[in-house]
Amino acid sequence: MTAMSIRDGRRPRSFLIRDDLVGAFEARATELSCSVDWLLGEAMKRLLADRTLAPAPPPLPRPSRPPVPPPPLPRRKPTGSFAIALRTADLRVVVDRDRFVIGRSARDAQLAIRDGNVSRQHAMIERGPDGWMVVDMASTNGVQLNGARVTRAPIRIGDVIGIGPFTILVERA
């Protein structure tokens, strides 16, 4: 096997080719007074253009017996869900996932708060083994829980989360 490379204007591309084919391409390139690169490129173009010249792909190996599907993953029972209400906009959103992001960006957050005091990904509501937590995601203006600034703290029904000028009340779903 011989390593060959073709330059197509962008970058060289390398591949392996049998030695007898290399010899045949070199002889034909000499006969046509052209480079092996050009000849290989033209041969590949013709092969791709004429579908009747394309060799049939080798058949895929068939398994001797059907594969056994893996057992289903055990479903974890949620520790409960709750709803959060954004009081200023009379919005109620049910948190039904393990991680729920609150922030300014509608693309990066599940609850978007359009305000310059709110970071793109400001805070996260996270479900853990001991219940729900509010996590500050390194926001510029911080997160408050019941009036105290927190970086990570457990939340319960009735707690008030402050994000920028907005107040979010934690309620039962």
Side-chain angles (χ1 to χ4, degrees):
M1 296 296 265
T2 301
M4 297 283 293
S5 65
I6 296 177
R7 290 192 177 92
D8 63 357
R10 288 172 285 180
R11 63 181 172 93
R13 298 175 189 262
S14 298
F15 58 94
L16 294 176
I17 188 169
R18 290 190 335 242
D19 292 330
D20 60 328
L21 285 175
V22 171
F25 268 98
E26 286 173 343
R28 184 71 171 144
T30 303
E31 199 178 296
L32 296 173
S33 300
C34 66
S35 70
V36 174
D37 285 348
W38 182 86
L39 185 60
L40 280 171
E42 289 300 309
M44 287 181 194
K45 285 179 196 174
R46 287 185 184 176
L47 181 64
L48 290 173
D50 187 356
R51 296 193 185 273
T52 61
L53 294 176
L60 294 174
R62 292 189 172 233
S64 57
R65 56 188 168 133
V68 178
L73 295 173
R75 297 189 103 191
R76 184 169 54 129
K77 188 168 185 167
T79 58
S81 63
F82 62 90
I84 56 177
L86 180 58
R87 288 184 184 196
T88 57
D90 295 327
L91 179 68
R92 180 181 162 107
V93 179
V94 175
V95 176
D96 59 354
R97 53 180 66 188
D98 291 342
R99 290 192 172 106
F100 186 88
V101 177
I102 303 168
R104 186 180 68 235
S105 170
R107 190 176 75 178
D108 298 328
Q110 283 75 48
L111 175 59
I113 303 173
R114 303 254 187 229
D115 188 271
N117 295 314
V118 178
S119 298
R120 282 185 320 107
Q121 292 184 334
H122 198 100
M124 176 173 47
I125 307 297
E126 183 176 51
R127 184 185 350 221
D130 298 327
W132 295 93
M133 305 281 283
V134 62
V135 180
D136 185 356
M137 296 179 72
S139 64
T140 303
N141 296 318
V143 174
Q144 291 188 349
L145 179 62
N146 300 323
R149 190 165 178 159
V150 295
T151 55
R152 181 179 187 83
I155 54 176
R156 293 176 184 32
I157 304 300
D159 283 345
V160 177
I161 301 169
I163 295 180
F166 297 91
T167 303
I168 299 172
L169 175 65
V170 179
E171 301 180 322
R172 186 173 310 279

